[in-house]
Amino acid sequence: MTPTRCVTAAMLEVGMRHEARLSFSREEVDRYCALVGDHNAIHRDLDAARVRFPDARDIIVPGGLVQTRISALFGTEFPGDGTLGLTFSPERLRRPLYPGDELVVTLEVARLIRGGIVEMQIGIADLEGNRVSEATAKLVPPD
């Protein structure tokens, strides 16, 4: 059996941080859109993307895919295995994201709430450090 990696509720402290890099391929965009039934043309056709975003250099990565991949970090990286997500409140993306764009996602423990609930502040930036978005999440790490 493969050992799991996790930080338990008792180990978490306000201010603890974890950083991860994310990027999205066209294939991931296609699979995500097919799975959730997102038929918005901006996610599959450059001309359609340019109607909404005239300077678009490629199709647009769905915000829901970004959110899902960030949520996956909770159960795979920080806190890790056994973590349950309760809420995810994203801010609107400040600019379109394209396949191949890399993001730096910072997860920071903002508050420890009764009952083992943790509030996480999420920063999303490009590789140059420009803020792309922010979010707040509440989750329950393993005890």
Side-chain angles (χ1 to χ4, degrees):
M1 184 170 198
T2 306
T4 59
R5 178 177 178 258
C6 71
V7 178
T8 64
M11 298 164 76
L12 287 171
E13 297 176 5
V14 172
M16 288 179 82
R17 295 169 62 106
H18 176 77
E19 189 174 283
R21 285 191 177 191
L22 298 179
S23 64
F24 308 89
S25 69
R26 287 183 77 109
E27 182 182 350
E28 288 172 314
V29 170
D30 291 344
R31 286 191 327 231
Y32 172 83
C33 288
L35 180 65
V36 301
D38 186 341
H39 304 293
N40 189 334
I42 67 173
H43 304 311
R44 56 184 156 64
D45 178 64
L46 177 57
D47 290 332
R50 285 184 174 153
V51 168
R52 177 68 174 88
F53 302 101
D55 296 328
R57 67 177 188 275
D58 203 342
I59 62 171
I60 308 300
V61 173
L65 175 57
V66 177
Q67 179 179 333
T68 300
R69 290 279 302 279
I70 291 170
S71 294
L73 294 173
F74 300 139
T76 58
E77 294 188 25
F78 184 73
D81 275 346
T83 299
L84 303 173
L86 300 176
T87 65
F88 191 101
S89 302
E91 164 190 280
R92 182 178 175 170
L93 293 171
R94 294 174 168 250
R95 63 174 175 80
L97 298 175
Y98 307 105
D101 285 355
E102 270 194 271
L103 298 176
V104 177
V105 177
T106 304
L107 309 175
E108 182 173 351
V109 177
R111 255 181 359 143
L112 302 174
I113 305 168
R114 270 193 324 197
I117 297 171
V118 174
E119 184 175 281
M120 197 75 69
Q121 186 62 41
I122 302 149
I124 306 159
D126 62 22
L127 293 181
E128 290 78 39
N130 300 308
R131 188 172 128 207
V132 173
S133 188
E134 293 183 349
T136 303
K138 289 184 182 168
L139 47 99
V140 181
D143 31 27

